[in-house]
Amino acid sequence: MTMIGTTLGHYRIVEKIGEGGMGEVYRAHDERLDRDVAIKVMHQKVAQDAERLARFEREATAVAKLAHPNVLEIWDFGTEDGITYAVTELLEGQNLRARIPTSGLPWQKVVEIGAAIADGLAAAHGKGIVHRDLKPENVFVTSDGRVKVLDFGLARVLEEVLPEAETATLTPAGTETGTIMGTVGYMAPEQVKGRPADHRSDVFALGCVLYEMVSGRRPFEGDTTVETMAAILKEEPTQLSSTGATLPGDLERTVHRCLEKSPTARFQSAADLAFGLRSIGTGPAVMMATPTGEVRPVTRKKRWSLAAAVTAVAAIVAVVGWGLLSRQPAPGIPDVKHIAVLPFEAVGDDPEGRFLAAGLAQTVTDGLTIMERETRGATWVVPPAPGLTLEQARTEHNATIAIRGVFTPGVERVRLDVDLVDIASGRTLLHRTLDESVRNITSLQKEPVRMVWEMLGFEATPAAIEYLEDSSTNTLTACRAFVSGRGRLSTATDEAGLQGAVASLESAIAEDPAFLPVRVALAGAFARLFEETHAEQWKERAIAEAEYAIRLDADSPEPYLALGKVHGDDGETELEL
């Protein structure tokens, strides 16, 4: 029976434009509002299935709550003469499947489309909605370039969390644990196992879509459904650069991080992923090495202390030529710069704000130490010390310039004001302000460094900027916990303070397990706890974290310093690498 020419409510069916597992999609005309719409009609055999019908109704109700440019708008829902339907906006264009060539899309287009998809998912996740069936067929690119996420037919609506509850258990609505739902090839490992899916499962699926957009093929494939599911559970996807794709290293790391087997190792929110994607490509594209047929687990390799690592890889630096190019400094800044970083202050009484301020001072110090190395003696850096004043910087350290900072935390935005001060006169030579949304708080790992470089008349080469990027995380919560942990560590004077630093750093690791700087900072914190208490447990944990960090990056010198602290004069330690 054809539906062309019939009506549902006040919608006149014009033509059939698509079909899926849940039903058929028609172009229709809204006779009441005089506009064209799309109508999704449930298959009769599906409409008679109570569970599938409930899922269809949840799609309509869930999506209707969203108002986001990257999510398909739903305008109406109803049942007439046994026919169940949903009315949505009518889109002109193609689904993403039709847009992906066998050779893949240009990486710039991948970033653009991927970030838009992540934005749409973030909006849904904010309403407690998990898609659970994201794939190229469920993403639509309109003729004018807009990206829309479609078909929340498998969405899981999470129970509302009562505001007075300290913790909440999220449970699925209408789906029992053990039921595998989704599309093979895009399901996260936890879905394959029949376990409950959450927003991180959507991040995995988006990683699959990103991988396919880049390479033109799926990350997990098999001759049968069972083989594909086994690959998702046990195998690592082929390194993207070995597929012949040309893309920045940050994009490859981002995609593979989405595809981590453990949900805790992925991006912890779609909003974080969107931010990470948009931060890619701020410099020139990087062509990755393409060893034929190489298949390996991808480990995110991060650099640690900008200060110590520069010293350790000085010979490499001389060969590859990264560094800082001198520019004309602001008037009043001497050629020989003896710089003291004063402790950064925090506005307000929140202790967390003070720790974040202290951590930002450490970040700036790391950036200045790069300058110290590159200027070959024209720059010295005095790191922040508790209570360090302008007078002490002048009399005890012979400093001529000071960096002074004030951090203002907030619910929606954070602000960092930085002054460049002439120590002899106390006069402020330059002032800069960094004002960011809390959603962009990861920029506080890099932008203060760039800002201070510019104030002092130095410009980073692309390789130095890349080095700075490699020392940061794109996960908002990991960034905040790490900066706070460094601040706690730098200001700790007793065991309780060191314990607080450990707790903050461990929470950062929980959000981003492969973020090397956190591992190294934690090794240092445990080493200090061992020095403070002489308890063997802290020595063992310092060694474990240092060895883990060395496995991530054997060139980083800081883990070896932590090992030296705990081993003292008892000889060298043998690392099982």
Side-chain angles (χ1 to χ4, degrees):
M1 173 183 172
T2 180
M3 294 196 65
I4 308 301
T6 63
T7 60
L8 288 173
H10 51 88
Y11 304 101
R12 177 170 49 83
I13 307 298
V14 177
E15 63 175 327
K16 183 177 178 179
I17 57 177
E19 184 171 0
M22 299 280 289
E24 299 173 332
V25 183
Y26 295 89
R27 177 193 296 269
H29 188 74
D30 185 342
E31 303 285 2
R32 180 179 298 168
L33 298 178
D34 191 22
R35 62 179 178 180
D36 286 339
V37 300
I39 288 188
K40 182 175 182 179
V41 177
M42 179 77 76
H43 285 313
Q44 283 295 315
K45 61 180 181 180
V46 177
Q48 295 171 3
D49 185 314
E51 182 180 352
R52 291 188 178 184
L53 182 59
R55 291 209 311 270
F56 183 81
E57 291 175 349
R58 284 202 306 276
E59 173 187 9
T61 303
V63 180
K65 295 178 181 178
L66 302 178
H68 193 276
N70 297 120
V71 176
L72 180 72
E73 291 185 46
I74 186 166
W75 292 335
D76 198 2
F77 171 78
T79 301
E80 183 172 311
D81 297 330
I83 298 174
T84 302
Y85 63 92
V87 181
T88 71
E89 61 179 318
L90 179 66
L91 303 177
E92 302 288 347
Q94 295 175 305
N95 68 30
L96 185 57
R97 168 68 64 211
R99 302 265 304 202
I100 301 176
T102 56
S103 59
L105 293 167
W107 71 264
Q108 295 91 338
K109 182 59 67 175
V110 173
V111 167
E112 176 188 340
I113 294 175
I117 297 171
D119 284 341
L121 290 176
H125 296 165
K127 296 288 187 180
I129 303 165
V130 180
H131 193 291
R132 298 205 297 173
D133 194 28
L134 185 70
K135 55 188 176 183
E137 288 82 358
N138 283 339
V139 176
F140 199 91
V141 183
T142 67
S143 54
D144 59 357
R146 292 175 295 127
V147 176
K148 297 275 188 176
V149 180
L150 316 178
D151 196 359
F152 279 79
L154 297 181
R156 184 180 72 169
V157 182
L158 303 180
E159 290 183 347
E160 181 179 358
V161 180
L162 297 177
E164 65 269 21
E166 293 182 358
T167 60
T169 301
L170 303 181
T171 57
T175 302
E176 294 182 0
T177 300
T179 302
I180 298 177
M181 301 179 66
T183 299
V184 175
Y186 302 92
M187 289 192 295
E190 59 269 23
Q191 288 177 282
V192 172
K193 295 176 181 178
R195 296 174 181 171
D198 64 14
H199 58 282
R200 296 168 299 182
S201 307
D202 284 348
V203 169
F204 184 94
L206 180 48
C208 293
V209 173
L210 291 169
Y211 188 102
E212 190 167 355
M213 282 197 284
V214 170
S215 65
R217 68 191 197 198
R218 296 181 184 181
F220 304 101
E221 295 182 302
D223 293 335
T224 66
T225 296
V226 172
E227 289 179 0
T228 301
M229 295 171 77
I232 291 171
L233 291 175
K234 299 179 181 179
E235 297 178 10
E236 296 291 343
T238 301
Q239 189 178 0
L240 271 173
S241 56
S242 69
T243 66
T246 301
L247 72 164
D250 281 353
L251 178 55
E252 179 160 34
R253 286 191 291 271
T254 297
V255 173
H256 283 278
R257 183 176 171 192
C258 293
L259 298 175
E260 292 283 357
K261 306 298 185 189
S262 170
T264 60
R266 302 171 202 150
F267 286 93
Q268 294 302 290
S269 75
D272 284 357
L273 175 54
F275 177 81
L277 286 168
R278 289 193 171 94
S279 70
I280 293 170
T282 54
V286 178
M287 186 170 185
M288 305 294 291
T290 57
T292 303
E294 180 184 9
V295 180
R296 66 168 179 82
V298 175
T299 301
R300 293 174 56 241
K301 191 175 182 181
K302 294 287 186 181
R303 303 284 183 179
W304 171 225
S305 168
L306 302 176
V310 169
T311 302
V313 298
I316 299 174
V317 168
V319 174
V320 301
W322 68 261
L324 296 162
L325 301 177
S326 180
R327 300 198 315 182
Q328 185 64 34
I333 299 178
D335 291 334
V336 177
K337 305 172 180 67
H338 197 171
I339 306 166
V341 180
L342 302 183
F344 285 10
E345 299 178 6
V347 175
D349 298 326
D350 183 8
E352 180 66 13
R354 294 197 295 272
F355 293 132
L356 288 171
L360 290 172
Q362 295 295 321
T363 298
V364 168
T365 302
D366 284 346
L368 287 173
T369 310
I370 289 182
M371 184 192 302
E372 181 178 50
R373 178 67 189 178
E374 291 303 304
T375 57
R376 292 183 173 88
T379 300
W380 295 271
V381 180
V382 179
L388 181 65
T389 65
L390 280 175
E391 181 62 20
Q392 289 173 328
R394 182 182 67 83
T395 59
E396 298 177 18
H397 301 284
N398 296 318
T400 57
I401 300 172
I403 302 294
R404 183 169 56 197
V406 177
F407 177 65
T408 306
V411 176
E412 298 294 333
R413 305 192 68 80
V414 294
R415 172 176 170 144
L416 178 64
D417 289 277
V418 177
D419 289 337
L420 196 65
V421 181
D422 175 65
I423 289 181
S425 65
R427 181 170 60 93
T428 297
L429 301 175
L430 286 173
H431 174 86
R432 294 287 186 272
T433 298
L434 182 64
D435 191 334
E436 287 284 5
S437 164
V438 293
R439 291 186 62 183
N440 295 338
I441 199 171
T442 55
S443 67
L444 293 181
Q445 301 164 104
K446 297 168 284 190
E447 294 310 316
V449 174
R450 292 192 180 102
M451 190 163 62
V452 171
W453 283 348
E454 186 272 333
M455 293 170 76
L456 287 163
F458 284 80
E459 181 178 2
T461 64
I465 294 174
E466 181 181 356
Y467 193 87
L468 198 59
E469 295 284 344
D470 284 346
S471 300
S472 60
T473 176
N474 289 328
T475 305
L476 300 180
T477 49
C479 168
R480 189 179 188 96
F482 171 59
V483 174
S484 174
R486 288 199 74 192
R488 291 171 186 269
L489 190 57
S490 68
T491 58
T493 58
D494 55 19
E495 183 180 359
L498 292 171
Q499 291 274 23
V502 166
S504 186
L505 293 169
E506 286 185 329
S507 67
I509 283 180
E511 297 293 338
D512 191 349
F515 183 27
L516 176 61
V518 185
R519 295 285 182 181
V520 178
L522 196 55
F526 286 136
R528 284 186 58 187
L529 274 168
F530 174 66
E531 290 178 323
E532 181 78 19
T533 66
H534 303 291
E536 284 296 314
Q537 61 170 324
W538 303 130
K539 178 179 180 178
E540 293 173 1
R541 297 196 66 180
I543 292 172
E545 290 297 338
E547 291 183 350
Y548 190 101
I550 290 168
R551 290 187 183 95
L552 290 176
D553 184 358
D555 293 332
S556 176
E558 291 285 342
Y560 299 100
L561 297 179
L563 289 174
K565 283 185 179 181
V566 297
H567 283 289
D569 298 326
D570 63 355
E572 295 182 354
T573 180
E574 182 178 344
L575 303 180
E576 297 180 1
L577 300 178

